[in-house]
Amino acid sequence: MARLLTADPDAVAEAAAVLRASGLVAFPTETVYGLGAAARAAAAVARVFAVKGRPADNPLIVHVADAAGLADLGADVPPVVRDLAARFWPGPLTLVVRARPGLPRVTTGGLDSVAVRVPGHPVALALLRAAGVPVAAPSANRSGRPSPTTAAHVLADLADRVDVVLDGGPTAIGVESTVVDVRSGAPVILRPGAVTPADLGLAGLGGGDLAASPGTRYRHYAPACAVEIAPVGAGARVAAGLAAQGRAVGLVAPGRAPEGVVQVARPGDAAALGRVLYGALRAAESGGLDALVVEAVDDRGLGTAVMDRLRRAAGSDKRTKNARFDVECP
Ligand code: TXA
Ligand code: MG
């Protein structure tokens, strides 16, 4: 059973020792909780894949305490990295660079590149500094489940499979980091996140083909209840229509739920929806709802990332539609 520790300095020191001894530690970041293992400890990283049920060809993000930590991991790092690191680290930005030889194959998914990020959360940074080693950490959910935004979500998926869970409260952003390939010298977005195209000086994804990122092939979020995306302003109407068919319906929308519909969350804007979306998917499932109606937000800024995750949850994403049947969701 995992030890659940409130993230105070003693707990962080204990968790760092567990990481150095090749144990698994779930910890909060500003995006979602991560499931950490020492990135150079192949057996520990292999255990991360095993406990998550993660496909071996989907590489992990390596977390470091500061931009200097990138130097040991990346090779031929282009000049743009210095600028992006200075502007966005610590923060929700992951940079894909060429990998320096020597990282275990299991960590990089057999690729010659590596994804690196400095997380913007005091507990994550304290843990990385105390551990003194780079930490490979995917989101701390079972593969096919929504990413965890609280320690309780981590325990629901992995309680009997990890050594320590550091509880740092709910995460601030709730959507995973922006993944950007910088190997060509110009940023290409592989996964949208809180660092937006505009933040990166791009009009769109920078030519990014979301299908090219190993992880985006898989349908990540597969709640047991149906997820319906309602147009902006139409959440209550869509939910009422489904409820009238006798289904148990929940609503996530800025407006009030109509009679007979469960209000699962009431986010007022895209940032608020990002914070509550994954928790709402889990709540809809555990509450036994047949359907969860989520009102869309405008597909720009942070809304692009939130809508990307919402479409995946609804199974209505063109890029992942066919993949949903290829992935076993434990
Ligand atoms: O916010 C986050 O990024 C969270 C927290 C814990 O840091 N982590 C996270 O990890 O979301 P994960 O494993 O759930 O997603 C990592 C994504 C996947 O889509 C993976 O395919 C991609 O990053 N990735 C990792 N290494 C890559 C590489 N070398 N090239 C392209 N994509 C890569
Ligand atoms: Mg994940």
Side-chain angles (χ1 to χ4, degrees), residues 32 52 54 58 138-141 145 147-148 176 191 220-221:
V32 300
K52 279 183 60 92
R54 183 178 178 104
N58 190 8
S139 49
N141 52 286
R145 302 276 303 144
S147 292
E176 304 88 339
R191 179 176 74 180
H220 283 200
Y221 320 112

Side-chain angles (χ1 to χ4, degrees), residues 4-292:
L4 174 64
L5 305 177
T6 302
D8 59 24
D10 286 347
V12 167
E14 193 175 331
V18 169
L19 284 175
R20 280 197 305 272
S22 294
L24 303 194
V25 173
F27 61 95
T29 81
E30 79 282 33
T31 57
V32 300
Y33 275 71
L35 174 57
R40 297 189 192 281
V45 176
R47 210 180 129 207
V48 169
F49 280 86
V51 304
K52 279 183 60 92
R54 183 178 178 104
D57 64 355
N58 190 8
L60 307 184
I61 295 172
V62 179
H63 296 66
V64 292
D66 52 40
L70 175 75
D72 294 336
L73 301 166
D76 302 333
V77 174
V80 68
V81 164
R82 183 190 294 261
D83 169 53
L84 294 176
R87 285 170 61 207
F88 298 110
W89 280 353
L93 178 69
T94 295
L95 298 176
V96 174
V97 297
R98 280 193 49 190
R100 205 173 262 277
L103 274 174
R105 279 182 63 81
V106 62
T107 303
T108 58
L111 301 176
D112 58 7
S113 58
V114 61
V116 183
R117 134 169 152 89
V118 179
H121 190 292
V123 171
L125 289 172
L127 179 67
L128 291 166
R129 283 193 204 103
V133 293
V135 172
S139 49
N141 52 286
R142 296 257 204 135
S143 257
R145 302 276 303 144
S147 292
T149 55
T150 67
H153 297 161
V154 177
L155 291 174
D157 280 13
L158 298 170
D160 53 347
R161 293 165 171 239
V162 306
D163 300 307
V164 169
V165 177
L166 283 179
D167 187 351
T171 60
I173 295 176
V175 171
E176 304 88 339
S177 63
T178 308
V179 179
V180 176
D181 187 346
V182 290
R183 283 174 295 172
S184 75
V188 175
I189 296 178
L190 302 180
R191 179 176 74 180
V195 174
T196 65
D199 290 334
L200 297 166
L202 299 173
L205 297 174
D209 170 7
L210 293 185
S213 180
T216 51
R217 283 200 290 278
Y218 301 104
R219 185 179 188 230
H220 283 200
Y221 320 112
C225 78
V227 176
E228 299 281 343
I229 304 175
V232 176
R237 180 168 55 74
V238 171
L242 290 173
Q245 297 167 18
R247 297 212 274 163
V249 180
L251 177 64
V252 176
R256 197 184 294 280
E259 178 103 13
V261 171
V262 179
Q263 184 109 44
V264 177
R266 219 176 148 182
D269 58 18
L273 178 57
R275 272 194 295 279
V276 301
L277 178 61
Y278 290 149
L281 296 173
R282 286 176 179 265
E285 247 177 0
S286 55
L289 296 178
D290 301 318
L292 182 69

